[in-house]
Amino acid sequence: MRQPVALAVAADAADFERLRRYRLFGAADHGGYLRCTERQLRVLRGAGLAVHLRLLAAGAYEEFCAQRLLAPADPVARTAFAADPDYPGEPFVYAGERLAELVPALLRDHRTRAGAAAGRAALLAAVDGEPHPAELLTAHLAYAAELCLALAHGPGGAGSRLRLLAEGPGGEEFDATAELGGAGRSPVPDGREAEAFCVTLAAVLAGGGVGELLRYGPDGPDGPDVGVGAGSARELRGWSVADGRLHPLTALEVGAVAPPEPDVGAVRPRDAHPLPGPRSAGRAGPGGAAGVRGRAGSGGAGGAAARVGEVGG
């Protein structure tokens, strides 16, 4: 069994520039730093060590050092940060890949973990102080899972991408995505990204958040209204988030609210279909605690989650 060793990598160029003032890196630019780090990783792995990568995010690192009274320029602080057991999620295990090719996956993995942590914090805050919070928490998660199933199996659902853009009552922002399986695969999202999406959706609905949930159709002919080849466009449907549930948007409405998605290309707005509503408290379990009524306007999740884009720097 390989002995584990942790290493924090400044995968993001902006984090690299921000941390250069601490003289943590010997390279002159980010590209040179990645090449130097890759050589170090290969040496460590060649020596029989299991290399666990962590994202060296500037904000998270500086906060870590401040809390533990460590100097950010001290190499010991960087080592302690990489091995911190309280860092969200499990480390990203290095398997000999080229680091420049691994960077996007490392960044995406970190954003997913950070988003899931923020969603869990907001969801816990939304049920805090309510009667039977554990049962209520389970009900919110079950409702979010029910919605994901309905989105996966609805018209044009297979092979599509979900994106949730919402704001909590305290002004915290949520941005979560999940991919739905295409032809020949289960359309139900799975993996860490799907878990983060589901818990974030549950938190937004439970806390009375507002925003939009968008579903971009597949790249290929999986959807009935999606063309292939020159001039093709991805089908776009959307739902507004309000009052603890998802409300279908018309083609005109979703076209007006959807932000540009550079990696999606052209879209063809469509009317959305209705989705299941939350169960009433009367249909809930013992004591009515399993209902999924959100606390819209009460600030239930206010201040519980940081802006997801800012978690970890």
Side-chain angles (χ1 to χ4, degrees):
M1 183 176 180
R2 289 174 176 260
Q3 180 180 350
V5 59
L7 185 69
V9 179
D12 183 75
D15 283 326
F16 173 82
E17 291 299 327
R18 180 171 163 180
L19 292 169
R20 285 182 67 181
R21 58 180 169 170
Y22 301 119
R23 302 184 183 278
L24 293 174
F25 319 113
D29 58 32
H30 190 236
Y33 160 75
L34 291 179
R35 289 189 293 271
C36 181
T37 302
E38 182 179 326
R39 289 193 293 269
Q40 180 184 2
L41 292 173
R42 291 185 184 277
V43 168
L44 291 171
R45 192 166 186 271
L49 300 174
V51 186
H52 293 179
L53 299 182
R54 289 283 173 81
L55 188 72
L56 184 58
Y61 179 66
E62 291 169 341
E63 181 180 357
F64 173 87
C65 291
Q67 290 175 345
R68 290 160 179 78
L69 302 179
L70 296 172
D74 189 341
V76 173
R78 183 178 172 184
T79 301
F81 176 78
D84 181 17
D86 295 328
Y87 201 82
E90 294 298 318
F92 197 95
V93 180
Y94 179 70
E97 305 93 334
R98 289 191 58 197
L99 191 55
E101 298 174 355
L102 188 61
V103 160
L106 182 60
L107 290 171
R108 184 171 59 251
D109 182 77
H110 176 78
R111 285 194 295 266
T112 299
R113 295 180 194 279
R120 285 192 293 270
L123 181 55
L124 288 171
V127 301
D128 184 41
E130 295 284 353
H132 310 287
E135 291 151 339
L136 189 58
L137 180 71
T138 300
H140 283 304
L141 288 170
Y143 179 47
E146 181 183 4
L147 290 172
C148 286
L149 286 171
L151 288 163
H153 292 289
S160 60
R161 173 197 292 181
L162 303 177
R163 185 177 184 190
L164 174 65
L165 293 165
E167 181 176 310
E172 62 276 21
E173 294 182 358
F174 299 93
D175 186 348
T177 61
E179 300 287 341
L180 302 179
R185 296 190 295 131
S186 169
V188 180
D190 59 9
R192 187 177 295 119
E193 185 180 60
E195 177 188 354
F197 182 88
C198 191
V199 73
T200 302
L201 177 59
V204 170
L205 296 174
V210 295
E212 294 83 34
L213 189 152
L214 307 172
R215 192 183 66 191
Y216 295 89
D219 289 314
D222 294 331
D225 300 316
V226 180
V228 183
S232 64
R234 299 188 71 171
E235 185 182 78
L236 171 63
R237 286 184 168 91
W239 293 260
S240 65
V241 181
D243 306 318
R245 63 183 301 162
L246 301 180
H247 306 269
L249 297 174
T250 65
L252 184 63
E253 290 171 333
V254 72
V257 301
E261 293 277 356
D263 60 334
V264 169
V267 296
R268 182 178 298 142
R270 296 294 192 204
D271 291 345
H273 52 86
L275 292 171
R279 293 179 298 164
S280 66
R283 293 173 54 196
V292 292
R293 294 180 298 173
R295 295 193 289 169
S298 68
R307 289 175 179 266
V308 171
E310 296 176 359
V311 175

